[in-house]
Amino acid sequence: MLKPGITAKLFLAILTSSVLVAMAMGMASRLTFNRGFLGYLNDQGIERMEALLPALGSTWQAQGGWHCFRDNPRQWFRLLRPGGLSRNQTATDGGCGSDDGDRDRDRPSSNPSSNPPPALTPRLPGPPPPQSDLTGVNLRLALLDEQRRFIAGNPQVGADALLRPVQVDGRTIGWVALVPFENVSTLAAQRFAQQQLWASWVIGALAILLAALVAVLLARVFLAPLKRIARGTHALAAGHYDERVEAGSGDELGQLAEDFNRLAHALKQNEKMRRAFMADVSHELRTPLSVLRGELEALEDGVRALTPESIRSLQAETTILGKLVNDLYELSLADVGALSYRMSDSDVIEVLRDAVHPYRERLAQHHIALELHLPEQAVMVLADEGRLGQLLGNLLENSLRYTDSGGRLKLEARIDCKELLLQFDDSAPGVAEEALPKLFDRFYRVESSRNRATGGAGLGLAISAKIAEAHGGSLSATASPLGGLRLSLRLPLAVPGI
């Protein structure tokens, strides 16, 4: 069974979120609309109640009570219909008699002179009565007497009815009651609510469609770099270290692509170094083994006699082979941080003098002049004296191997910013500027040939740099003013300020 890819997952996640948001907004809009619309209808009823109060007060004064509405309830609805009484009119102005009287009064007379034009009654300022009743307010109004007994209008007046007092000269002579809306009941209101609900669903559906379109576009735009990186990762895992990914943007995805390219480059370099390391190790091991095998075959065939000289030759090759194996072992320990150190306060100047002593004779045999510029007082650093002596011996061995006969080797030690600075300067030959950073790479030697007479295996400086780092210091290489190479060793002082 195929599982959905990241594109489908992202699309479904965005679409699901959009659908949930649209549904939540629709439900909230529906709830808010219902409450707001019912509130609007009730507010319309209250306004209608307020508009009726003056006319009802005038009617009560003219009739001396509510007989007009009690005896003829239809007058109440006549008062409420569109174009009913104005604010200062009374029910008697419009006729509070029987229905026949109303019809006679509304019928025009055949004698124009007997029907003088009615006097215009001035209207008081205030809100005009409604011109239509699409909200059903008139059907929810009722008139109550002073004791809140029903007179006319809607008989279903309950405890939740909204009341407004009808007052004359500060006295409450009756009440106008409004049955509140609990749900939409009139046809016009229901039609309006259904239209709003339908509009909400249409808008929600359009929003979901738009969200789906945006989800597709986002899935393609955002996931395209990820897919390129995924393809590159598969190629990288298969060993194709030349694979590169186009960044395309400056955001996090672009940064991820750049990191992938750097990783691919680093893996390619590591693979190149691994192959070179294996070739160098096999070469370095093959040479002493070949010499040993040749010497032993010569002794076995009787070509060469077993003399002290032949034994010393075999022992020399064995020593070279043992040193190479030991250097490889120590370098592997240094790489994983497992090289053992026993740190203590040590006098570097004393350790340096002890390291120089066995090299004096060898330097003299090569006609290399040795110059020492060391302080008289002790300089204390936190170090492993054995490892520190090994480091200094490697630096001396490097200068001895790569300095021409008749040259110079200058050693200088001084305090520099809470650090001890040791400088090894030798004379020609020098090192090209571009080759200086590679001197601390394992098996790297400046000469193109691998002549063992002038150089070692190329591990001494690599091991020395690891030892310097373990002591919290550093080892660097620059051109020497004597014409050769300057190796600078920095070690932090055990007691700053000395």
Side-chain angles (χ1 to χ4, degrees), residues 244-383:
R244 296 295 183 269
V245 175
E246 182 182 357
S249 62
D251 55 9
E252 289 81 357
L253 294 176
Q255 184 64 40
L256 181 61
E258 293 179 0
D259 292 340
F260 173 87
N261 293 335
R262 284 193 289 266
L263 175 62
H265 177 74
L267 290 176
K268 182 179 179 180
Q269 293 298 112
N270 289 340
E271 178 64 16
K272 182 179 179 181
M273 291 175 60
R274 185 189 67 82
R275 294 178 180 178
F277 177 77
M278 296 301 297
D280 292 338
V281 169
S282 61
H283 176 85
E284 295 296 334
L285 291 175
R286 186 185 302 114
T287 301
L289 288 175
S290 298
V291 174
L292 285 174
R293 183 174 58 185
E295 292 284 345
L296 291 174
E297 289 178 353
L299 291 174
E300 183 180 13
D301 296 338
V303 177
R304 186 172 181 179
L306 184 60
T307 61
E309 288 78 9
S310 61
I311 293 177
R312 282 194 295 270
S313 176
L314 292 173
Q315 187 176 9
E317 294 300 328
T318 304
T319 301
I320 293 173
L321 186 60
K323 185 178 184 305
L324 175 60
V325 173
N326 186 66
D327 287 346
L328 288 172
Y329 177 69
E330 289 193 347
L331 190 59
S332 65
L333 292 179
D335 286 339
V336 298
L339 201 60
S340 60
Y341 294 90
R342 295 181 179 179
M343 299 295 191
S344 62
D345 289 343
S346 306
D347 181 6
V348 182
I349 304 303
E350 185 65 27
V351 176
L352 180 58
R353 293 182 190 276
D354 293 340
V356 169
H357 181 72
Y359 282 89
R360 289 182 180 273
E361 183 178 354
R362 296 178 60 190
L363 290 170
Q365 291 176 356
H366 288 76
H367 306 287
I368 298 176
L370 176 63
E371 302 178 14
L372 297 178
H373 300 274
L374 307 178
E376 296 295 333
Q377 73 277 14
V379 179
M380 307 302 293
V381 298
L382 185 62

Side-chain angles (χ1 to χ4, degrees), residues 223-237 243 245 260:
L223 295 181
L226 288 180
K227 289 183 177 180
R228 292 197 297 267
I229 295 174
R231 289 192 297 268
T233 303
H234 293 320
L236 206 62
E243 185 72 19
V245 175
F260 173 87

